[in-house]
Amino acid sequence: MHIIRRLFSLRITHPTLSGLWYAFFWMMIGALILSLLLHASLMEEEQLSLYTYIVHGIALLFGGLVSGKRSGKKGLYQGAITGLFYSILLLLISFLALDHSIGLANLVLILPAILIASAGGVFGVNLRK
């Protein structure tokens, strides 16, 4: 059993990369749930933007939490870096894949992303102890 676990396990040791991995993982799960709710007609498209921000906030919180827990120290810093990279990657994907222009309104959303992930990083460092 240990051989199988050793062969097929993937452990990202860098705190920021592992935080980004978990943030995008939770974002994908949230997007799947939102699309299933939208498909089942339990939600209207006008409500989708609010729930999308909630999913991103939860993903950022978990990403910062994992980042802070893996680093063991400087959770505020690790969470902030995770939030910054997460938001920049989302803006880049939005710009390239969806052909949206990057404006000031999009750049302002980087600050809450950094703050939410930083809070997760602080909680993550304290979970390790």
Side-chain angles (χ1 to χ4, degrees):
M1 186 68 172
H2 293 291
I3 295 171
I4 294 172
R5 192 178 306 164
R6 215 189 256 171
L7 287 176
F8 294 111
S9 69
L10 174 67
R11 181 153 172 95
I12 302 172
T13 57
H14 196 274
T16 306
L17 290 178
S18 63
L20 280 174
W21 169 253
Y22 277 94
F24 276 103
F25 175 74
W26 284 108
M27 183 203 45
M28 286 187 290
I29 288 176
L32 178 68
I33 291 171
L34 285 179
S35 65
L36 289 175
L37 287 174
L38 192 62
H39 179 70
S41 297
L42 297 175
M43 177 189 321
E44 295 181 15
E45 288 185 20
E46 291 83 26
Q47 301 170 334
L48 195 60
S49 64
L50 171 68
Y51 291 121
T52 304
Y53 287 128
I54 291 171
V55 166
H56 284 299
I58 291 170
L60 281 164
L61 189 68
F62 280 122
L65 189 94
V66 169
S67 178
K69 189 175 179 183
R70 291 269 169 98
S71 71
K73 57 185 177 183
K74 297 182 181 179
L76 187 71
Y77 171 73
Q78 291 294 332
I81 294 296
T82 302
L84 179 68
F85 285 160
Y86 180 88
S87 60
I88 287 174
L89 281 172
L90 280 182
L91 285 175
L92 191 65
I93 290 169
S94 171
F95 176 70
L96 293 175
L98 301 175
D99 207 21
H100 285 208
S101 63
I102 297 176
L104 185 62
N106 293 338
L107 295 177
V108 169
L109 293 176
I110 293 175
L111 184 63
I114 290 172
L115 293 176
I116 292 170
S118 299
V122 169
F123 290 131
V125 167
N126 291 325
L127 281 178
R128 189 172 181 136
K129 296 179 182 176

